[in-house]
Amino acid sequence: MTETSADEFDPAASSLAGKISDDVMQELLAVRSSIDNIDATLVYLLAERFKATQRVGYLKAEHDLPPADPGREVAQIARLRRLAEDAHLDPAFAEKFLNFIISEVIRHHQAISDNHNGGNSNAAGL
Ligand SMILES: O=C(O)C(=O)C[C@]1(C(=O)O)C=C[C@@H](O)C=C1
């Protein structure tokens, strides 16, 4: 089987090795195991989201629609802020995070559109 970068991951890697008690290190590693699972899930979720937005990007390019839809973004942000509050997550962080993702999506949409229109801009590597 081909070795992937995930196979090289050392879950016990730490700058704290040898500096803290074994008990504390064991507890830290146990919590980090959950963090690693959550981070992996985030990567898969983001990959799925970008697959979906790529379809939107092609649809928009084919129909000559602008990459950004500010009205949609306002609704999305208001919704995510409400969800964040319910989940006891800082709504300002949720908004910043969504804006960060959306700005990357818009960059991808722009690259798809430029490509579709015969340009050679390929900022998003698409
Ligand atoms: O739904 C769209 O129209 C998209 O292009 C997707 C998306 C998003 O990432 O959620 C990105 C850009 C738009 O401004 C709004 C939303």
Side-chain angles (χ1 to χ4, degrees):
M1 198 169 91
T2 316
E3 194 170 277
T4 66
S5 53
D7 293 326
E8 291 153 20
F9 176 61
D10 175 9
S14 172
S15 303
L16 298 170
K19 296 179 185 162
I20 57 174
S21 75
D22 284 353
D23 279 3
V24 175
M25 183 54 94
Q26 282 319 305
E27 192 170 344
L28 190 57
L29 289 179
V31 183
R32 283 181 175 175
S33 158
S34 285
I35 293 171
D36 289 338
N37 286 347
I38 292 164
D39 288 348
T41 307
L42 281 177
V43 166
Y44 284 116
L45 283 176
L46 281 172
E48 280 307 303
R49 194 184 196 282
F50 275 95
K51 260 198 250 177
T53 55
Q54 190 178 49
R55 288 174 57 191
V56 175
Y58 283 113
L59 191 68
K60 285 183 170 179
E62 277 158 22
H63 297 275
D64 236 359
L65 302 173
D69 184 337
R72 163 77 173 158
E73 290 178 30
V74 167
Q76 282 173 294
I77 286 163
R79 174 172 178 261
L80 271 214
R81 286 187 68 102
R82 279 195 306 273
L83 289 174
E85 271 164 35
D86 288 350
H88 307 290
L89 177 72
D90 179 4
F93 171 75
E95 178 170 353
K96 238 194 304 185
F97 185 60
L98 185 64
N99 275 329
F100 178 65
I101 294 169
I102 288 178
S103 63
E104 182 67 9
V105 170
I106 290 171
R107 210 169 63 82
H108 289 200
H109 285 357
Q110 190 61 61
I112 291 170
S113 165
D114 291 348
N115 223 25
H116 186 262
N117 293 324
N120 55 9
S121 167
N122 204 6
L126 298 167

